[in-house]
Amino acid sequence: MLEKMPSTKVSAFLEKFGKALAEQDIEAAVGCFQTDSYWRDLIAFTWNIKTLEGQDQIRDMLKAQLAKIAPSGWKIAEGEEATEANGITESWIQFETEAGRGYGLLRLRDGRIWTLLTALTELKGHEEKSGYTRPLGAKHGHGKDRKTWREERDEEIAQLGHSKQPYVLIIGGGQGGIALAARLKQLGVPTIIVEKNERAGDSWRKRYKSLCLHDPVWYDHLPYIDFPKNWPVFAPKDKIGDWLEMYAKVMELNYWASTTAKKATYDEKTKEWTVVVERDGKEITLKPKQLVLATGMSGKANWPKIKGQDVFKGEQQHSSTHPGPDKYKGKKVVVIGSNNSSHDICAALWEAGADVTMVQRSSTHIVKSDTLMDIGLGSLYSEKAVNSGVTTQKADMIFASIPYRILHEFQIPLYEQMKERDKDFYANLEKAGFMLDWGDDGSGLFMKYLRRGSGYYIDVGACDLVIDGSIKLKSGSDVQELTEDAVILKDGTRLPADLVVYATGYGSMNGWAADLISKEVADKVGKCWGLGSDTTKDPGPWEGEQRNMWKPTQQDGLWFHGGNLHQSRHYSLYLALQLKARMEGLPTPVYGLQKVHHKS
């Protein structure tokens, strides 16, 4: 007998799985999964971002949610064919729920589900106006006192936040806030972005002048508008700033620049926020139903407390406020830290003629940029991937479909390849005294980023300066104190300094909630970011998803949005759909609301 074709096999399976769900036969549905299976859901079934591990967790979720969600219409996604390799049958799938339409990725092993990704992509009756349903724009015909687009837009700007209240207030107008606001605009959700800087994009423009994206262009598109085909692979900071400013304008975002959020309180009875902001020297009180902190996981500067900071006569800066190297030619600079910002700043200072020393207090993961692009990202985010039919959406979904519990198993072999490819480079770094690591389990950069958001550098040239001694290196000792003119390390080393730069990273995003709302609310929602992997700086217990990001929190009406450009693009859709559903009064029964294990 001929072996069934993969698409035939998947179609038959989906019919069986769909029938079990439609009949609410939970045991039959659970029986469609391997014992060691994973179901990652992006709000379609759980109204949460949640990974279910194993049959018991899947059973529990279905008991709670199946009747409310009412899934149907399971089939291979339109225009797709299932594939088979190494004993795994894989297929893009589509389905419907009571609330909307979904898309996903299915992997079968021995005829049962090994991994399943389900993602809600649109709400029924509240679809985005695009393609065949795009708005006409120009008003054909005739009529007295008709308003032009410009007049209608000016009226919206004049009213929102004054005579009309936003449904959503986003604090933070960087890439995260802008991407989310663009999604909400297309869904018809009245939204205001509050940003302390003078212009959209200033969060990039005002950083040190050598800053650029270390991720390649294919990884960094915003929703709706891709970067042009001739956009550089690694965009400089000012170019990114200009793009964000342009994007905010053409997407018609209500962007309140030069505006500071001062205080926010939540009324549990009215389910409404009162947020006081200062704009143009005046206090304005806003009354949104939903408050999103899009202040970035790299926003709350971590200033270390060191003895003698008050007596040091030189300059002290956090990396986030470092203006660049221009006025430090001939000066002695000590940069504390050894991750991305430290390397960038040290290299720029050396180029400008400063005498610069990097203080490496703990080991750092290093990966060369071209190697990361080839081995780490090439299959999903590259020109080759695009030409192979891997769209940005598909790449995002493929990456999202690997459960965090086993993602490191996919990453370790890639980083083993990188280590071998660049072994001479790493040998030279260690010879220079640089302390290297590959993550607690050898899984490299992406897992370090997801677990702790720090501890790595994508090398774009600074490591050569460390190797040849152009950037002086002092590793293995922390700072003891500052004197009037020097940094003293715990091993007794004295480093004369005119400037000290603290490239010491950032605190948890719930620190912004403490500042704006209260410490009680910050503690109530708990730490943001990390998986609970019980690795360095990511304490257990295992949580299986990014803490508090893009999903409901323990505080009603409070959301966190951020991450890199890829995450801001991808997860902004699911956060926008959650907010839209609540605005429309749709049922949003949340399953598995995250428990709080760590406050900061």
Side-chain angles (χ1 to χ4, degrees), residues 108-119:
L108 299 177
R109 190 178 66 200
D110 298 327
R112 293 196 292 170
I113 297 172
W114 174 42
T115 72
L116 175 62
L117 173 71
T118 49

Side-chain angles (χ1 to χ4, degrees), residues 520-533:
E520 290 73 25
V521 168
D523 289 347
K524 182 180 178 181
V525 299
K527 180 181 174 70
C528 297
W529 209 260
L531 303 171
S533 62

Side-chain angles (χ1 to χ4, degrees), residues 318-428:
H318 188 266
S319 59
S320 60
T321 60
H322 175 65
D326 293 350
K327 67 177 183 176
Y328 302 107
K329 182 176 182 179
K331 302 290 187 180
K332 292 185 180 297
V333 184
V334 175
V335 180
I336 298 169
S338 55
N339 296 336
N340 263 338
S341 293
S342 173
H343 279 83
D344 284 350
I345 290 169
C346 285
L349 285 163
W350 174 83
E351 288 179 2
D355 179 339
V356 59
T357 300
M358 179 191 294
V359 176
Q360 184 186 28
R361 300 168 300 164
S362 58
S363 63
T364 308
H365 172 52
I366 305 285
V367 60
K368 290 176 76 70
S369 177
D370 56 350
T371 302
L372 179 66
M373 284 180 62
D374 289 349
I375 298 173
L377 289 169
S379 63
L380 295 181
Y381 300 99
S382 66
E383 204 64 38
K384 183 179 179 182
V386 172
N387 290 334
S388 300
V390 182
T391 63
T392 302
Q393 186 208 16
K394 279 189 174 180
D396 289 350
M397 294 289 277
I398 292 168
F399 194 73
S401 73
I402 307 294
Y404 288 135
R405 174 72 86 174
I406 57 174
L407 182 56
H408 65 285
E409 296 174 13
F410 290 75
Q411 295 292 302
I412 290 169
L414 301 180
Y415 286 88
E416 289 290 343
Q417 290 179 51
M418 297 182 203
K419 188 187 294 188
E420 177 60 28
R421 170 169 156 166
D422 297 321
K423 60 185 178 184
D424 293 342
F425 164 75
Y426 292 114
N428 289 334

